[in-house]
């Protein structure tokens, strides 16, 4: 996906500091943070949104959740609590159509979301 900003981050074409990387997943700071800790976790392969997940992708999603737990520990927010969010589609508030998981923490988050 040549025009996808998150594919460019995952491939290294865009020079972005990664807080975590392995062969399948990358994580980096959100450029418009909504909490003291606000990371984005992405699969390196282009999946446009949650609704485009295929059967073979669910193990990868589990791996991303494992990574989110690990990053929450490393960022010091695991104990107090945090939130993992995936916005899906226009009504869900998705603006970048490459699957991503927001990891938010470091303050008391409101519920319900707006
Ligand atoms: P969403 O609205 O759920 O699709 O989230 C997209 C998120 O990506 C927003 O929170 C943006 O601030 C963030 N974002 C967009 N471009 C970049 C970028 N180049 N680096 C870091 N975060 C980005
Ligand atoms: Zn992409």
């Amino acid at each position: 996906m040549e025009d996808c900003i998150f594919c460019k981050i995952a491939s290294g074409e865009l020079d972005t500091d990664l807080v975590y990387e392995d062969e399948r997943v990358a994580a980096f700071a959100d450029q418009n943070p909504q909490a003291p800790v606000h990371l984005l976790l992405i699969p390196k392969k282009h999946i446009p949104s949650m609704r485009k997940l295929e059967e073979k992708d669910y193990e990868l999603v589990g791996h991303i959740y494992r990574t989110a737990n690990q990053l929450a520990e490393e960022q010091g927010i695991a104990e107090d609590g945090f939130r993992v969010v995936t916005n899906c589609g226009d009504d869900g508030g998705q603006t970048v159509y490459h699957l991503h998981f927001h990891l938010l923490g470091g303050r008391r988050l409101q519920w319900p979301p707006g």
Side-chain angles (χ1 to χ4, degrees):
M1 282 294 292
E2 47 189 57
D3 280 337
C4 174
I5 188 108
F6 287 178
C7 279
K8 287 180 179 166
I9 290 173
S11 69
E13 190 182 332
L14 266 186
D15 192 18
T16 304
D17 286 335
L18 300 181
V19 297
Y20 176 85
E21 181 181 25
D22 64 30
E23 62 288 346
R24 291 186 291 168
V25 175
F28 51 92
D30 195 294
Q31 69 180 10
N32 183 23
Q34 301 301 314
V37 175
H38 186 173
L39 302 181
L40 298 174
L41 291 86
I42 62 170
K44 286 191 170 177
K45 83 166 184 173
H46 184 81
I47 300 171
S49 78
M50 182 166 165
R51 72 183 277 262
K52 298 295 184 184
L53 283 167
E54 296 173 16
E55 196 56 42
K56 61 179 163 47
D57 296 322
Y58 289 108
E59 197 273 333
L60 171 61
V61 172
H63 176 59
I64 291 172
Y65 265 80
R66 182 192 299 118
T67 305
N69 256 331
Q70 191 180 310
L71 289 173
E73 291 287 349
E74 287 174 17
Q75 298 282 326
I77 58 171
E79 186 87 14
D80 286 343
F82 57 90
R83 190 173 291 170
V84 176
V85 178
T86 294
N87 298 322
C88 182
D90 294 345
D91 275 3
Q94 185 173 6
T95 58
V96 177
Y97 278 78
H98 177 128
L99 180 66
H100 53 279
F101 298 76
H102 299 258
L103 172 63
L104 297 145
R107 68 170 173 85
R108 185 62 64 98
L109 299 167
Q110 304 298 308
W111 192 263

